[in-house]
Amino acid sequence: MKLDRTDIKILHVLQQNGRMTNVELAEVVNLSPSPCLMRVKKLQQEGYIEGYTAQINVAKLGQALLVFTEVTLKNHRQTDFARFLAAIEKIEQLIECHVISGGYDYLLKFVTTGIGEYQEIMERLIELDVGIDKYFSYVVLKSPIRRAQLPLTKRFNHRLR
């Protein structure tokens, strides 16, 4: 599927307000409701829209600690990566995992109730012997900039005019 200006506009508007009704969306992107709904469904079917979520204010839920963790594995065979991923995907406090180029293999993002819970998670991973050579932890003190939206207007500016 090749995205046109209207598709990009739909994606841009929906990522800002995923609760918008189809009628409201159609008005914003200058379509009638039926063709707008057909486009949204097509964008979903093609995987451009993966889902809709609520952004939760973690601070309102009580004590929370955000930790980024760099992980380097001992070995770099496909089975080593698979074993590590199988172990970490079961950890509910792990909210992101990225395979990274450079000095380490993975960048993980955890949200825990505190340093004790984070330490228990890491100790459990070490005890499971899932191939971790070393890891470095970075506790987040503040997050002055957090964006959930992709910069679609800059990336596809030529198609939005």
Side-chain angles (χ1 to χ4, degrees):
M1 175 179 178
K2 186 169 166 81
L3 299 178
D4 65 13
R5 176 185 354 191
T6 304
D7 294 325
I8 302 295
K9 206 169 188 180
I10 288 170
L11 293 174
H12 176 70
V13 171
L14 281 179
Q15 75 175 353
Q16 292 177 337
N17 182 2
R19 293 181 57 144
M20 176 179 282
T21 68
N22 182 60
V23 172
E24 293 169 328
L25 177 62
E27 188 175 311
V28 172
V29 300
N30 298 317
L31 286 175
S32 59
S34 183
C36 182
L37 184 58
M38 287 174 32
R39 281 181 180 255
V40 170
K41 286 185 177 188
K42 182 79 171 164
L43 289 166
Q44 290 170 342
Q45 290 169 351
E46 294 292 325
Y48 289 97
I49 298 173
E50 293 181 334
Y52 300 87
T53 62
Q55 294 178 359
I56 308 297
N57 183 343
V58 177
K60 292 277 190 185
L61 298 176
Q63 186 176 357
L65 182 73
L66 179 62
V67 183
F68 286 94
T69 306
E70 297 173 350
V71 175
T72 303
L73 299 183
K74 293 175 190 168
N75 298 303
H76 294 93
R77 297 173 302 226
Q78 200 61 31
T79 56
D80 299 309
F81 291 115
R83 184 177 55 174
F84 176 74
L85 286 174
I88 65 168
E89 70 184 0
K90 297 174 187 158
I91 302 170
E92 184 180 11
Q93 298 88 338
L94 177 69
I95 60 171
E96 290 181 21
C97 172
H98 305 274
V99 177
I100 302 294
S101 65
Y104 52 98
D105 299 316
Y106 292 96
L107 178 63
L108 309 178
K109 183 179 179 182
F110 292 93
V111 174
T112 66
T113 57
I115 198 71
E117 183 181 25
Y118 172 73
Q119 185 176 354
E120 287 174 18
I121 292 167
M122 295 312 296
E123 286 173 356
R124 196 170 344 115
L125 282 174
I126 298 299
E127 286 174 16
L128 287 173
D129 194 26
V130 293
I132 297 174
D133 182 33
K134 58 186 171 187
Y135 70 93
F136 297 95
S137 306
Y138 302 92
V139 174
V140 174
L141 303 176
K142 280 186 187 177
S143 298
I145 298 172
R146 286 182 47 221
R147 294 186 179 112
Q149 293 86 26
L150 297 173
L152 296 179
T153 54
K154 295 292 182 199
R155 182 178 173 145
F156 297 101
N157 196 24
H158 61 284
R159 292 197 212 172
L160 292 174
R161 291 189 186 121

